């Protein structure tokens, strides 16, 4: 994934993943998962989370498959899916915000 990100102009060399914590949820207005399994894990780990904060990244609710262990083309496909879905997600939030409505993607 690092090579794909670099090829698209993103430097992930200092990025480090971390486990989601309750403090993260306290300040977040949106909690976005790329697949249903991750969404279910978030709900299970944090049963008191405000459900209006939760969304799958893809508008149609489809999963974005993890390319881990796959070929470079799989990582490229995943990058393209995430990039396109993220643009639509952010655009949807901006549209609702500009209209003065509560942001709700799904």
């Amino acid at each position: 994934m690092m090579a794909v990100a670099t090829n698209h102009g993103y430097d992930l060399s200092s990025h480090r993943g971390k486990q989601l914590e309750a403090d993260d949820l306290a300040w977040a207005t949106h909690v976005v998962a790329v697949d249903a399994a991750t969404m279910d894990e978030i709900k299970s780990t944090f049963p008191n989370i405000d459900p209006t904060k939760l969304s799958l990244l893809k508008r149609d609710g489809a999963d974005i498959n993890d390319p881990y262990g796959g070929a470079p083309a799989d990582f490229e496909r995943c990058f393209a899916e995430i990039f396109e879905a993220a643009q639509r997600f952010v655009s949807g939030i901006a549209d609702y915000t500009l209209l003065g409505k509560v942001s709700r993607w799904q």
Side-chain angles (χ1 to χ4, degrees):
M1 187 57 156
M2 296 288 278
V4 172
T6 299
N7 290 343
H8 288 277
Y10 297 95
D11 177 8
L12 300 180
S13 62
S14 64
H15 175 73
R16 300 292 176 265
K18 72 177 210 76
Q19 293 293 312
L20 188 62
E21 299 174 356
D23 288 347
D24 299 319
L25 302 177
W27 62 262
T29 58
H30 295 79
V31 178
V32 183
V34 295
D35 59 43
T38 302
M39 180 67 70
D40 290 343
E41 182 68 22
I42 293 168
K43 290 176 182 177
S44 173
T45 304
F46 304 100
N48 295 326
I49 188 172
D50 178 353
T52 65
K53 290 184 175 187
L54 299 174
S55 298
L56 286 170
L57 183 58
K58 290 183 87 171
R59 188 177 202 170
D60 64 2
D63 288 351
I64 296 177
N65 295 319
D66 189 344
Y68 183 77
D74 297 323
F75 284 87
E76 189 64 47
R77 175 205 43 79
C78 184
F79 176 89
E81 272 190 89
I82 290 172
F83 188 81
E84 180 181 336
Q87 285 182 311
R88 289 180 186 204
F89 185 85
V90 170
S91 177
I93 291 170
D95 288 347
Y96 281 114
T97 302
L98 290 173
L99 294 173
K101 297 180 180 178
V102 174
S103 176
R104 186 74 180 124
W105 179 240
Q106 292 180 328

